[in-house]
Amino acid sequence: MTELKNIRNFSIVAHIDHGKSTLADRLIQLTGTVAERDMKQQMLDAMDIERERGITIKANSVRIEYPAKDGQTYILNLIDTPGHVDFAYEVSRSMQAVEGSLLVVDATQGVEAQTLANVYQAIDANHEIVPVLNKIDLPAAEPERVKEQIEDVIGIDASEAVEISAKTGLGIPDVLEAIVHRLPAPKGDVTAPLKAMLVDSWYDSYLGVVVMIRVIDGTIKKGDQIKMMQTGATYKIDKLSVLKPQMVDIAALGPGEIGVFTASIKQVRDTKVGDTVTHDKKPCAAPLPGFKPSIPVVFCGLFPVDANDFDALRDAIEKLQLNDASFSSEMETSAALGFGFRCGFLGLLHLEVIRDRLEREYDLDLITTAPSVVYKIHMKDGSVEELHNPADMPDLTYVDHIEEPRIKATILVPDEYLGDVLKLCQDRRGIQLDLTYAGPRAMVVYDLPLNEVVFDFYDRLKSVTKGYASFDYQFTEYREDNLVKMQVLVNDEPVDALSMMVHRDRAEQRGRAMCEKLKELIPRHMFKIPIQAAIGGKVIARETLSALRKDVTAKCYGGDATRKKKLLEKQKAGKKKMRQFGKVEIPQEAFINALKMDS
């Protein structure tokens, strides 16, 4: 075991694309943790989706040994965290396991919305923070301006910020020295009963459930009988390892160390993130406080294309839930789509990533319904119901009023795009709360309805600002508004998956856009298909998809016009009959694309 004074636990926090994973690569490379031939870019991003999209989704840990200039060898436990707002819960969990943070700021772009959000999480966790300015090798870098900005906007001292280029490796030794001398060593008592925090768990098809822990007090050895305090389950430890990023076996872990163990645990649901691990015979007095439960903000239905895959989908969702505690699910049924799950996510990117992971890792074909948020419906008898799915809306005669969730959004944007951003927020029924300037950039704070943000607010924001705006939000309250349920009818049949809650003032515009979009997406059939948007019994928009027609008059040349007319009338009657009995097949792509509204 390592002495406490020689351990440093820290996480790397930053905005998206400011170079967290690249910095982690350089720290791993410089200390020789991974052999040169095994080194690859974004070493800690293990999932295919992470590597394809160039984003970090899961916080990953690695243990580095660093012989410092003072002659001592230090053990550094690094946790690389995601930067995107949808994975903020992953960041907050990682923060609890470590004592310090490296705050990476791009020297060309400066402080952005997610930088702020992640720093505040680090400050809440009482972290010591070391600012690091990355990308100083670029011609556009302005380290002095960015240091001022860090001091003005965040309020932490940046005079001794380490200037580096994670790509070229410039200044990386200074970062290692700063970690050793400026971040605190962990505290803990070796003689006390074992107390360890369960930080993460994932499923491995060979080893069963792999559990990542941070030891607070006491020691844990291979062969120990341990107990999970939340679930009360007991296990015997088969394998104890540290991540370098591959598992390397170790005899024991002491206070302040981060490692993983396997104990023939079959179900990931037996390992709750935030649980306290202790010895079965000699438990610690009180469990750790654990993590705040995450609050899902976006809900959507996931249904298997083939009904026989339902059990496989259930297993896949259970496994993913263990791995990602911020994702929740419950069963639901739909007339159009059969059995499936109603799932809660922290945002749209989170939804996309989970869907991609289910399809790839578990080989499933899925239908995703329109993303929606949870509304509170106040009934006339005084009771309050939660509405997860617009299709379950109760009869309006019993409803007194409907409340929708509102968020407080912080947007940082360069001066020249401010007008476009303000217009976008006004269009989405936003209320401006604040507008301040930090140098050439404006910081706008808006009160927005969450269901307007859920659709594609983030995409629109990026496109009107050419990608320069950064956006962060937090839930504030439920507030009453004039909301109605809009249904989409295809061939006079309501399509459950496409019904949505809209504001009455925007219903017609939304309905028209939806009908036009579906007209392009639904393939033509042998009969005419009306596509309508309706509120209650009132149709507010309509498009008609014309029929595929065979030229029945082709064989008539010459002769009387009535011959042609007779054939056309016969065809018309056939089409009418077809429409009564015909079923309209709506392809999966149509569902997904119809929901990318407002483009």
Side-chain angles (χ1 to χ4, degrees):
M1 281 178 299
T2 319
E3 283 187 49
L4 278 171
K5 65 176 176 33
N6 286 6
I7 299 176
R8 297 289 182 274
N9 297 327
F10 65 99
S11 61
I12 305 183
V13 292
H15 187 78
I16 311 153
D17 271 348
H18 280 201
K20 293 180 295 299
S21 299
T22 315
L23 172 59
D25 285 353
R26 291 296 86 77
L27 294 174
I28 291 170
Q29 201 173 6
L30 191 74
T31 52
T33 306
V34 173
E36 199 62 49
R37 61 164 188 240
D38 297 330
M39 198 64 204
K40 56 184 179 184
Q41 285 190 339
Q42 273 74 42
M43 187 77 204
L44 295 181
D45 291 350
M47 278 189 276
D48 293 345
I49 300 174
E50 292 181 314
R51 303 188 76 79
E52 267 169 39
R53 291 175 178 242
I55 55 176
T56 304
I57 294 167
K58 285 286 299 166
N60 283 316
S61 165
V62 63
R63 175 178 169 125
I64 296 171
E65 287 179 20
Y66 171 58
K69 290 179 183 168
D70 60 8
Q72 304 254 13
T73 298
Y74 290 87
I75 295 286
L76 313 181
N77 288 306
L78 171 163
I79 295 185
D80 179 25
T81 60
H84 196 282
V85 56
D86 284 10
F87 306 112
Y89 185 64
E90 196 73 36
V91 180
S92 69
R93 282 184 5 209
S94 311
M95 297 277 182
Q96 304 292 334
V98 295
E99 287 81 33
S101 290
L102 293 186
L103 169 68
V104 180
V105 182
D106 185 333
T108 59
Q109 305 215 328
V111 175
E112 305 210 33
Q114 225 23 59
T115 316
L116 280 176
N118 289 343
V119 163
Y120 291 147
Q121 287 199 357
I123 293 169
D124 286 348
N126 297 324
H127 278 195
E128 188 64 43
I129 297 170
V130 175
V132 175
L133 302 187
N134 191 14
K135 308 192 187 180
I136 59 158
D137 57 323
L138 297 181
E142 301 171 83
E144 294 312 314
R145 179 182 68 81
V146 175
K147 280 183 192 175
E148 276 175 38
Q149 206 180 18
I150 292 174
E151 288 176 357
D152 294 349
V153 179
I154 304 174
I156 57 175
D157 176 27
S159 57
E160 291 187 10
V162 189
E163 296 185 14
I164 66 159
S165 162
K167 199 168 190 177
T168 61
L170 179 72
I172 302 295
D174 302 342
V175 176
L176 287 162
E177 285 298 310
I179 292 166
V180 168
H181 297 300
R182 288 164 61 182
L183 293 181
K187 295 180 177 65
D189 181 358
V190 184
T191 55
L194 172 67
K195 184 193 274 186
M197 179 196 285
L198 200 158
V199 183
D200 201 356
S201 63
W202 58 92
Y203 190 79
D204 182 295
S205 44
Y206 298 107
L207 301 167
V209 179
V210 182
V211 180
M212 180 166 146
I213 53 165
R214 152 74 205 265
V215 182
I216 311 285
D217 291 326
T219 56
I220 184 169
K221 298 187 187 67
K222 189 176 169 180
D224 282 0
Q225 194 75 19
I226 52 148
K227 178 180 174 185
M228 308 277 182
M229 293 186 86
Q230 241 184 17
T231 57
T234 59
Y235 302 101
K236 182 173 183 243
I237 291 187
D238 300 334
K239 179 181 165 82
L240 193 62
S241 314
V242 289
L243 295 171
K244 290 187 160 188
Q246 273 66 40
M247 285 191 201
V248 177
D249 285 6
I250 193 166
L253 283 174
E257 294 193 278
I258 294 175
V260 296
F261 70 79
T262 60
S264 308
I265 305 173
K266 300 283 185 291
Q267 303 279 351
V268 189
R269 74 169 83 103
D270 301 335
T271 54
K272 292 242 178 5
V273 170
D275 200 347
T276 308
V277 178
T278 186
H279 280 138
D280 186 24
K281 298 282 184 283
K282 193 180 153 192
C284 57
L288 295 160
F291 303 131
K292 286 203 300 267
S294 68
I295 303 164
V297 276
V298 180
F299 284 84
C300 88
L302 290 177
F303 294 87
V305 170
D306 178 359
N308 298 333
D309 289 345
F310 176 72
D311 287 336
L313 175 63
R314 180 164 51 198
D315 291 348
I317 283 180
E318 279 180 6
K319 281 180 186 162
L320 265 191
Q321 248 171 316
L322 307 168
N323 199 325
D324 182 350
S326 53
F327 149 63
S328 63
S329 70
E330 55 187 45
M331 276 183 62
E332 79 163 342
T333 54
S334 140
L337 303 168
F339 288 100
F341 288 88
R342 187 99 196 137
C343 301
F345 305 92
L346 297 185
L348 274 192
L349 178 68
H350 190 202
L351 185 159
E352 274 184 42
V353 164
I354 293 278
R355 193 187 68 214
D356 283 1
R357 286 185 67 184
L358 285 170
E359 290 186 343
R360 285 182 188 193
E361 293 173 25
Y362 302 97
D363 196 22
L364 295 164
D365 279 339
L366 299 177
I367 293 176
T368 324
T369 64
S372 67
V373 296
V374 179
Y375 298 92
K376 289 202 167 151
I377 298 186
H378 292 255
M379 311 300 269
K380 287 188 173 156
D381 62 6
S383 64
V384 181
E385 289 185 10
E386 284 199 345
L387 179 72
H388 288 260
N389 189 347
D392 303 335
M393 178 85 176
D395 190 342
L396 287 177
T397 48
Y398 304 114
V399 175
D400 184 51
H401 65 273
I402 304 174
E403 291 183 346
E404 65 176 348
R406 306 282 298 197
I407 58 168
K408 181 177 157 195
T410 310
I411 300 169
L412 281 165
V413 58
D415 227 357
E416 62 261 39
Y417 305 114
L418 182 61
D420 294 335
V421 171
L422 295 180
K423 181 179 181 302
L424 176 67
C425 293
Q426 286 318 124
D427 288 349
R428 299 297 174 101
R429 318 198 325 260
I431 301 163
Q432 190 176 323
L433 302 177
D434 192 14
L435 173 57
T436 50
Y437 277 89
R441 298 165 66 196
M443 184 164 111
V444 202
V445 181
Y446 255 91
D447 174 16
L448 286 160
L450 183 61
N451 73 336
E452 297 286 344
V453 174
V454 157
F455 268 93
D456 60 348
F457 179 81
Y458 194 67
D459 296 348
R460 302 286 300 156
L461 181 69
K462 287 289 185 200
S463 56
V464 300
T465 60
K466 298 197 170 57
Y468 282 112
S470 56
F471 167 72
D472 184 55
Y473 65 85
Q474 66 214 56
F475 172 76
T476 49
E477 59 167 356
Y478 274 87
R479 198 178 314 149
E480 186 185 342
D481 217 328
N482 188 4
L483 297 159
V484 289
K485 172 186 164 188
M486 183 177 82
Q487 275 193 311
V488 175
L489 309 169
V490 175
N491 200 15
D492 301 334
E493 291 284 326
V495 181
D496 269 355
L498 296 174
S499 55
M500 60 174 88
M501 301 293 293
V502 289
H503 194 268
R504 197 177 281 278
D505 298 349
R506 298 195 57 196
E508 192 183 329
Q509 173 197 351
R510 205 76 183 266
R512 188 168 292 138
M514 195 63 150
C515 291
E516 285 171 7
K517 197 107 190 209
L518 282 172
K519 186 181 177 183
E520 293 167 21
L521 295 167
I522 296 177
R524 285 166 65 191
H525 286 54
M526 296 304 293
F527 49 93
K528 196 163 71 175
I529 302 172
I531 301 167
Q532 298 161 308
I535 295 172
K538 184 184 173 199
V539 173
I540 53 171
R542 167 175 174 140
E543 290 285 335
T544 307
L545 190 61
S546 56
L548 285 169
R549 292 185 48 199
K550 182 180 169 191
D551 187 359
V552 287
T553 58
K555 64 182 187 215
C556 292
Y557 50 92
D560 196 354
T562 51
R563 283 178 66 196
K564 285 189 176 176
K565 210 171 235 171
K566 185 176 158 191
L567 287 168
L568 290 169
E569 288 297 332
K570 193 171 161 191
Q571 184 185 35
K572 193 171 165 188
K575 296 278 179 203
K576 191 174 174 187
K577 192 171 174 185
M578 240 185 230
R579 201 189 134 194
Q580 285 172 349
F581 302 111
K583 278 204 102 47
V584 180
E585 293 290 328
I586 304 177
Q588 157 73 358
E589 282 71 48
F591 279 115
I592 295 170
N593 291 330
L595 305 171
K596 290 192 174 156
M597 290 291 291
D598 292 350
S599 50

